[in-house]
C-alpha cells in the first residue's frame, strides 16, 4: 500500500545543493558539505563520528545533546549545522586535556553521578556551561539551572554533588565568562 | 524534517526581501521552529537565517526606557544589569521559562512568535483549526487541562505559551517591526490576537514583517513587582497560570496597577477594568481578590481546566501581595 501511494506521488524536487559548513570542533577546523536540514547534533554524530554527544528526544526536552558553542551551552538538536558555521563547538570529547579528565568528569566518577550513562555527556557539558555562567551558588540554583538535563535513572542527587565539587575547584566566576 | 532551502540574510532589508517569496520562514534561535518542523507541523520551503543581523543589542532609549534587540538571547536579556534592576519582573519571567540551554539559543523576537503547545496542534493525526484551518478542534471536548479560560472561541481554546510576553504585556512594551511597507510600532496589547474564527493567525504581523526590537517604556515597577508561575513541576514546564504584577504604591494604598496573566488565553491577558479596580484601594488580600474576580468575570472552563479559574484567582492575590511587599527581587 505504501509503495502504491508512493508511486502515485509526483517526483520529489531535487534536493538543494549541499552547504559548505566550517566548524571548529574541539580545537580542530572541520569543513563539511551538508544538506540544509542537518542539525548540529547530526553533523557531530553522523558526519564527524563524534558519538559522545547523544540523541535523546531530538526535541530540546532532555538535554542529552548539550554541547558548548563559543563557550555557551545549547541543545545541538535544535540548531542547524549551517547556522553555526564558523563557530567553536566543544563536545564531551573535547573536555579532556590529553589523558587527563576534566574536573567534572572526575567528579561524576567520584560521586557515581550516573547509572546508564546516556545523559552523562549532556549533563557534563551543561554543567561546564553552568560553571562558566557563574549564576549558581547553591544546590537549589544548581538544580534549577540544570533542569534542562533529564536523567531517567534518577542520579540527580549525585549529579548535584559532582557539580558542586567541580564548581569549588573552578572557583569564583572567571573574568569575562558569559 | 522535510527538504528546504537555507540562506543567510545579509541585512534586515535583505531578510524582508527574501521573505516575500512563498513558503519562506525566518529562523533565529530555531528552538521552536525546528521542533515544529521535526513534528511536521510547520513545512517551510526555505529558511532565511536572520541570526547574524546586528539586532542583538540592549540599548537605552531617548525617553528613559530600554530597547531589547529582537535577536538578543533570552539569557542575555534576563541577566542584563539594566533589565534586572529596572524591570525585575521581566528578568524573573524569562528565567521562569524553558531551560538554560534554550534561553542561550532563543531570541526575544522568536519568543514573541512561538506557537502554542496545545497537544492537538502538535499531533498531525488529529484535527486542529490552528494547524489546518477548518479541520476542527481536538481540544474542545478532548483533553483540555492546559487550555484557555478567557478569550477563547468555538474554533480554538489554545493558550500562548510565553512567560516573557506576559511581563512585556504588563510593562506596556512596544514591538518595532520592519516590513515590505516600511517600519511601524505595534503596542504589545495589539501584537497578539484572540483566536476568533481565524485561530491560525497568532499575531498582527503581516507576511514579510521582521521584528527588530521590543521597546520598554521608562516605568518598570521595579519597587513593587513580581512574576509568579504555577506549573505541574518545579522547573522546565509551561505555565498552568502565571501572573506578572506591578504596583505603584502610596504608603499602603495602590496608586497604579499592572496585571497580566499567562497560561489562560490565546494571548497574554490584560484587563483595564481589573487594574482600575485596584487604584486607590488598600493593598490587602480583599482588594486583590476583588480585582481578580473582575478579571475572571467571564472565565469559562472546559472539562479538565476549570481548576484554572480558582487557581488564577489565588495566583493573582499571591502575586499582588508579593509585589506590594517587595518580594519580587530579581533572582541572582
Amino acid at each position: 500500500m505504501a509503495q502504491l501511494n508512493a508511486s502515485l506521488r509526483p517526483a520529489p524536487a531535487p534536493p538543494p545543493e549541499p552547504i559548505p559548513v566550517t566548524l571548529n570542533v574541539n580545537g580542530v577546523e572541520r569543513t563539511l558539505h551538508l544538506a540544509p536540514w542537518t542539525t548540529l547534533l547530526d553533523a557531530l554524530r553522523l558526519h564527524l563520528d563524534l558519538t559522545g554527544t547523544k540523541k535523546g528526544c531530538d526535541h530540546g526536552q532532555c538535554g542529552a545533546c548539550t554541547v558548548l558553542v563559543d563557550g555557551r551551552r545549547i541543545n545541538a538538536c535544535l540548531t542547524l549545522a549551517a547556522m553555526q558555521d564558523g563557530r567553536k563547538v566543544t563536545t564531551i570529547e573535547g573536555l579532556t586535556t590529553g589523558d587527563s579528565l576534566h574536573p567534572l568528569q572526575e567528579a561524576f566518577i567520584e560521586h557515581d553521578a550516573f547509572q546508564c550513562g546516556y545523559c552523562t555527556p549532556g549533563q557534563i557539558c551543561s554543567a561546564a556551561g553552568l560553571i562558566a555562567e557563574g549564576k549558581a551558588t547553591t544546590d537549589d540554583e544548581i538544580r534549577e539551572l540544570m533542569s534542562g538535563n533529564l536523567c531517567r535513572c534518577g542520579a540527580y542527587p549525585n549529579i548535584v554533588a559532582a557539580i558542586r565539587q567541580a564548581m569549588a575547584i573552578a572557583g569564583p566566576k572567571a573574568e569575562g565568562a558569559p | 524534517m522535510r527538504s528546504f532551502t537555507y540562506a543567510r540574510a545579509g541585512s534586515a532589508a535583505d531578510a524582508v526581501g527574501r521573505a516575500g517569496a512563498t513558503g519562506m520562514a525566518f529562523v533565529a534561535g530555531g528552538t521552536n521552529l525546528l521542533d515544529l518542523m521535526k513534528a511536521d507541523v510547520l513545512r517551510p520551503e526555505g529558511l532565511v537565517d536572520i541570526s547574524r543581523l546586528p539586532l542583538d543589542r540592549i540599548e537605552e532609549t531617548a525617553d528613559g526606557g530600554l530597547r531589547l534587540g529582537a535577536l538578543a538571547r533570552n539569557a542575555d536579556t534576563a541577566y542584563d544589569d539594566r533589565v534586572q534592576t529596572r524591570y525585575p519582573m521581566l528578568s524573573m519571567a524569562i528565567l521562569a521559562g524553558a531551560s538554560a540551554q534554550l534561553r542561550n539559543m532563543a531570541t526575544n523576537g522568536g519568543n514573541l512568535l512561538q506557537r502554542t503547545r496545545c497537544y492537538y496542534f502538535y499531533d498531525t493525526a488529529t484535527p486542529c483549526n490552528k494547524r489546518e484551518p477548518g479541520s476542527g478542534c481536538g481540544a474542545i471536548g478532548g483533553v483540555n487541562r492546559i487550555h484557555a479560560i478567557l478569550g477563547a472561541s468555538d474554533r480554538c481554546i489554545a493558550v500562548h505559551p510565553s512567560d516573557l510576553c506576559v511581563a512585556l504585556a504588563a510593562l506596556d512594551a512596544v514591538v518595532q517591526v520592519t516590513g515590505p511597507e516600511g517600519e511601524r510600532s505595534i503596542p504589545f496589547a495589539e501584537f497578539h490576537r484572540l483566536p476568533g474564527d481565524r485561530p491560525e493567525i497568532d499575531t498582527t504581523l503581516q507576511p514579510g514583517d521582521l521584528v527588530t526590537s521590543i521597546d520598554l517604556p521608562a516605568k518598570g515597577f521595579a519597587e513593587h513587582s513580581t512574576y509568579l508561575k504555577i506549573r505541574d513541576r518545579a522547573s522546565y514546564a509551561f505555565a498552568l497560570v502565571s501572573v506578572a504584577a506591578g504596583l505603584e504604591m502610596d504608603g499602603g494604598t495602590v496608586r497604579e496597577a499592572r496585571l497580566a496573566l499567562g497560561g489562560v488565553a490565546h494571548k497574554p491577558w490584560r484587563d483595564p477594568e481589573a487594574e482600575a479596580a485596584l487604584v486607590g484601594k488598600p493593598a490587602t488580600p480583599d482588594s486583590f481578590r476583588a480585582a481578580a474576580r473582575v478579571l475572571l468575570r467571564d472565565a469559562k472552563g472546559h472539562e479538565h481546566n476549570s481548576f484554572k479559574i480558582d487557581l488564577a484567582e489565588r495566583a493573582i492575590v499571591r502575586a499582588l501581595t508579593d509585589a506590594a511587599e517587595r518580594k519580587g527581587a530579581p533572582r541572582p
Side-chain angles (χ1 to χ4, degrees):
Chain A
M1 191 64 192
Q3 272 179 340
L4 180 64
N5 282 342
S7 70
L8 293 174
R9 282 191 199 136
E17 284 292 301
I19 300 173
V21 177
T22 300
L23 302 169
N24 182 309
V25 183
N26 300 329
V28 181
E29 208 71 352
R30 307 292 294 265
T31 297
L32 300 166
H33 290 81
L34 301 171
W37 48 87
T38 310
T39 61
L40 177 61
L41 176 60
D42 285 344
L44 292 169
R45 288 182 56 85
L46 304 178
H47 296 268
L48 295 173
D49 291 331
L50 290 168
T51 52
T53 306
K54 300 303 185 213
K55 183 180 281 195
C57 69
D58 207 25
H59 286 278
Q61 296 175 7
C62 76
C65 67
T66 304
V67 298
L68 301 166
V69 173
D70 289 346
R72 297 172 61 136
R73 50 178 165 157
I74 69 165
N75 300 111
C77 74
L78 286 185
T79 189
L80 301 174
M83 292 166 65
Q84 304 302 332
D85 183 42
R87 300 224 164 100
K88 239 178 101 176
V89 182
T90 306
T91 68
I92 189 71
E93 291 93 341
L95 285 181
T96 51
T97 312
D99 288 336
S100 302
L101 293 178
H102 186 279
L104 274 163
Q105 293 171 310
E106 299 274 14
F108 268 63
I109 293 169
E110 198 171 315
H111 288 273
D112 197 17
F114 45 80
Q115 184 174 284
C116 82
Y118 197 80
C119 74
T120 310
Q123 298 277 2
I124 289 177
C125 285
S126 188
L130 169 107
I131 292 171
E133 289 156 14
K135 302 295 182 191
T137 52
T138 65
D139 282 6
D140 275 350
E141 287 164 355
I142 292 172
R143 286 187 197 100
E144 168 61 29
L145 291 172
M146 287 295 292
S147 68
N149 291 85
L150 306 187
C151 169
R152 292 298 78 176
C153 301
Y156 295 113
N158 298 3
I159 292 171
V160 172
I163 294 172
R164 193 174 55 229
Q165 176 179 309
M167 202 182 277
I169 295 167
K173 183 180 175 180
E175 198 64 34
Chain B
M1 279 184 277
R2 290 171 188 249
S3 170
F4 58 85
T5 61
Y6 171 89
R8 194 174 293 158
S11 65
D14 179 38
V16 170
R18 288 174 183 272
T22 53
M24 304 303 275
F26 294 134
V27 64
T31 54
N32 190 216
L33 177 63
L34 295 183
D35 185 32
L36 288 165
M37 288 167 68
K38 290 181 186 189
D40 208 25
V41 173
L42 296 181
R43 303 166 182 180
E45 288 165 38
L47 295 187
V48 179
D49 183 352
I50 57 169
S51 65
R52 299 191 191 205
L53 299 181
L55 299 171
D56 61 344
R57 305 286 294 273
I58 298 176
E59 298 167 318
E60 301 287 342
T61 61
D63 63 0
L66 211 52
R67 166 163 289 184
L68 310 175
L71 294 172
R73 307 283 157 172
N74 288 177
D76 294 333
T77 307
Y79 291 125
D80 183 276
D81 285 341
R82 295 160 294 183
V83 173
Q84 292 199 314
T85 307
R86 287 152 55 183
Y87 308 95
M89 75 162 87
L90 179 63
S91 181
M92 292 173 78
I94 295 172
L95 294 176
S99 67
Q101 291 97 314
L102 291 168
R103 293 192 295 267
N104 276 343
M105 308 170 77
T107 62
N108 293 333
N111 187 294
L112 267 56
L113 297 171
Q114 65 179 306
R115 310 302 303 274
T116 185
R117 265 49 171 208
C118 173
Y119 336 111
Y120 299 96
F121 178 68
Y122 261 80
D123 184 350
T124 57
T126 64
C128 170
N129 287 323
K130 185 181 283 298
R131 174 169 35 77
E132 204 178 318
S135 64
C137 174
I140 295 173
V143 178
N144 45 42
R145 184 168 180 276
I146 64 172
H147 290 78
I149 54 171
L150 287 164
S153 75
D154 58 2
R155 305 276 178 92
C156 180
I157 59 171
V159 299
H160 195 263
S162 170
D163 293 294
L164 182 152
C165 289
V166 181
L168 292 178
L171 290 167
D172 272 345
V174 176
V175 184
Q176 304 295 349
V177 171
T178 185
E181 310 292 318
E183 297 182 3
R184 67 186 197 283
S185 305
I186 307 175
F188 207 79
E190 295 167 22
F191 185 82
H192 296 100
R193 57 183 296 285
L194 291 176
D197 56 8
R198 298 295 301 278
E200 71 275 20
I201 306 172
D202 288 352
T203 71
T204 54
L205 289 181
Q206 299 298 312
D209 277 350
L210 176 71
V211 176
T212 54
S213 74
I214 300 146
D215 293 356
L216 302 174
K219 193 185 278 190
F221 298 87
E223 293 293 307
H224 295 283
S225 66
T226 196
Y227 185 75
L228 172 66
K229 181 174 182 180
I230 311 287
R231 44 188 156 172
D232 278 329
R233 57 185 183 219
S235 183
Y236 202 16
F238 290 97
L240 291 168
V241 171
S242 69
V243 182
L247 295 172
E248 272 201 350
M249 302 291 293
D250 198 351
T253 304
V254 176
R255 191 165 53 204
E256 187 182 349
R258 297 281 179 83
L259 193 56
L261 266 66
V264 297
H266 199 257
K267 62 186 282 188
W269 193 261
R270 283 272 303 266
D271 185 332
E273 285 182 46
E275 292 171 17
L278 285 162
V279 175
K281 298 291 186 329
T284 61
D286 284 346
S287 309
F288 299 154
R289 195 169 300 110
R293 287 182 179 163
V294 172
L295 186 142
L296 294 163
R297 63 193 178 283
D298 295 324
K300 177 179 172 293
H302 291 264
E303 186 179 355
H304 307 111
N305 73 345
S306 292
F307 74 97
K308 280 192 179 185
I309 301 172
D310 288 339
L311 185 63
E313 181 180 311
R314 290 196 288 265
I316 291 168
V317 173
R318 187 172 135 198
L320 288 169
T321 304
D322 286 354
E325 293 175 1
R326 300 168 175 255
K327 284 186 184 162
R331 293 157 33 133

